[in-house]
Amino acid sequence: MAGKEVAKQSLKVVMFLGSARENRVCTRVSKFVHEQLTRSGHDVTVIDPLEMDLPVLRQSMMFVKDWTTLPETMVKANETLVNSDTIVVISPEYNHSIPPALSNLIDHFPISSYKYKVSGIVCYSPGPYGGMRAAMQLRCLLSEIGTISVPHIFGIPHVTKALDEDGKPLNEHMESGARKLITQLGWYSEALKAKKEKDGVPS
């Protein structure tokens, strides 16, 4: 039946935060999305550019021969990413584009850590467009690193009027938009997991 919530399994979700800006609104958006995902029974790990504090990318992990030379936080984050089912990206837009903190964070990890996973985009802005220009570019990036981006992009326009500082929703669009995204993440992730368990992945 169209619109039916079919997700039955608990998914391991990695949530990338897209902003390192002072007084970032990303915090309230991530709190809301985290709560919605956990309420739906999913296990969520947050990878935050502020906490990771990575330098400007010079070399991806995939080109480093000895990972003992890398920060332990990076190695552990990559292990979590490898073992995840689903990736959710929380992103504003900077100059109508992907925030540099987000692309820098994503690019530090090996492409192999992302492949054959499902991804979802949550974007936001203080204005009416909800970060959609960055979302269109993110969809291209997420495809290039090997993920399957679900059809629904959860855009949040006028974000400070949509969520309070604690991440509590201030309008009906928030929960309905999150529910649609999470339902699609569950459907696609379960289908992909079943296929991988049955046939593995292409070499």
Side-chain angles (χ1 to χ4, degrees), residues 15-87:
M15 190 163 69
F16 282 98
L17 304 194
S19 175
R21 182 181 286 178
E22 186 177 359
N23 298 321
R24 59 184 183 174
V25 179
C26 190
T27 301
R28 68 177 75 181
V29 179
S30 66
K31 286 179 180 178
F32 170 75
V33 176
H34 191 289
E35 196 275 335
Q36 295 292 311
L37 284 164
T38 54
R39 184 194 294 180
S40 298
H42 304 308
D43 179 40
V44 184
T45 300
V46 176
I47 299 183
D48 184 344
L50 280 181
E51 293 182 3
M52 295 293 292
D53 195 24
L54 297 174
V56 173
L57 182 68
R58 294 186 179 181
Q59 189 177 47
S60 168
M61 288 180 72
M62 64 182 161
F63 299 118
V64 178
K65 293 182 179 180
D66 183 5
W67 282 15
T68 62
T69 64
L70 297 173
E72 185 179 1
T73 54
M74 185 186 299
V75 177
K76 286 185 175 180
N78 183 67
E79 182 180 352
T80 300
L81 182 58
V82 168
N83 292 323
S84 69
D85 305 302
T86 308
I87 297 162

Side-chain angles (χ1 to χ4, degrees), residues 1-184:
M1 181 183 297
K4 183 179 179 181
E5 293 193 22
V6 295
K8 303 295 183 183
Q9 301 176 10
S10 175
L11 301 173
K12 295 179 181 179
V13 181
V14 166
M15 190 163 69
F16 282 98
L17 304 194
S19 175
R21 182 181 286 178
E22 186 177 359
N23 298 321
R24 59 184 183 174
V25 179
C26 190
T27 301
R28 68 177 75 181
V29 179
S30 66
K31 286 179 180 178
F32 170 75
V33 176
H34 191 289
E35 196 275 335
Q36 295 292 311
L37 284 164
T38 54
R39 184 194 294 180
S40 298
H42 304 308
D43 179 40
V44 184
T45 300
V46 176
I47 299 183
D48 184 344
L50 280 181
E51 293 182 3
M52 295 293 292
D53 195 24
L54 297 174
V56 173
L57 182 68
R58 294 186 179 181
Q59 189 177 47
S60 168
M61 288 180 72
M62 64 182 161
F63 299 118
V64 178
K65 293 182 179 180
D66 183 5
W67 282 15
T68 62
T69 64
L70 297 173
E72 185 179 1
T73 54
M74 185 186 299
V75 177
K76 286 185 175 180
N78 183 67
E79 182 180 352
T80 300
L81 182 58
V82 168
N83 292 323
S84 69
D85 305 302
T86 308
I87 297 162
V88 175
V89 177
I90 312 289
S91 181
E93 60 178 30
Y94 290 5
N95 296 324
H96 301 169
S97 184
I98 300 172
L102 178 56
S103 58
N104 188 64
L105 182 61
I106 289 173
D107 289 346
H108 266 86
F109 298 103
I111 289 178
S112 59
S113 300
Y114 298 101
K115 280 188 172 181
Y116 305 108
K117 300 181 190 298
V118 173
S119 62
I121 299 169
V122 181
C123 55
Y124 63 91
S125 73
Y129 299 111
M132 283 295 172
R133 289 163 291 203
M136 293 299 98
Q137 296 169 49
L138 275 167
R139 178 160 278 176
C140 294
L141 174 58
L142 290 168
S143 176
E144 283 297 321
I145 61 176
T147 77
I148 300 172
S149 178
V150 300
H152 181 60
I153 294 175
F154 181 22
I156 308 172
H158 306 293
V159 62
T160 56
K161 297 179 181 179
L163 293 166
D164 69 15
E165 292 185 357
D166 295 320
K168 303 300 182 184
L170 301 176
N171 62 52
E172 294 180 357
H173 164 71
M174 294 306 300
E175 292 197 347
S176 63
R179 184 165 56 249
K180 184 174 182 179
L181 177 67
I182 292 169
T183 298
Q184 290 188 4

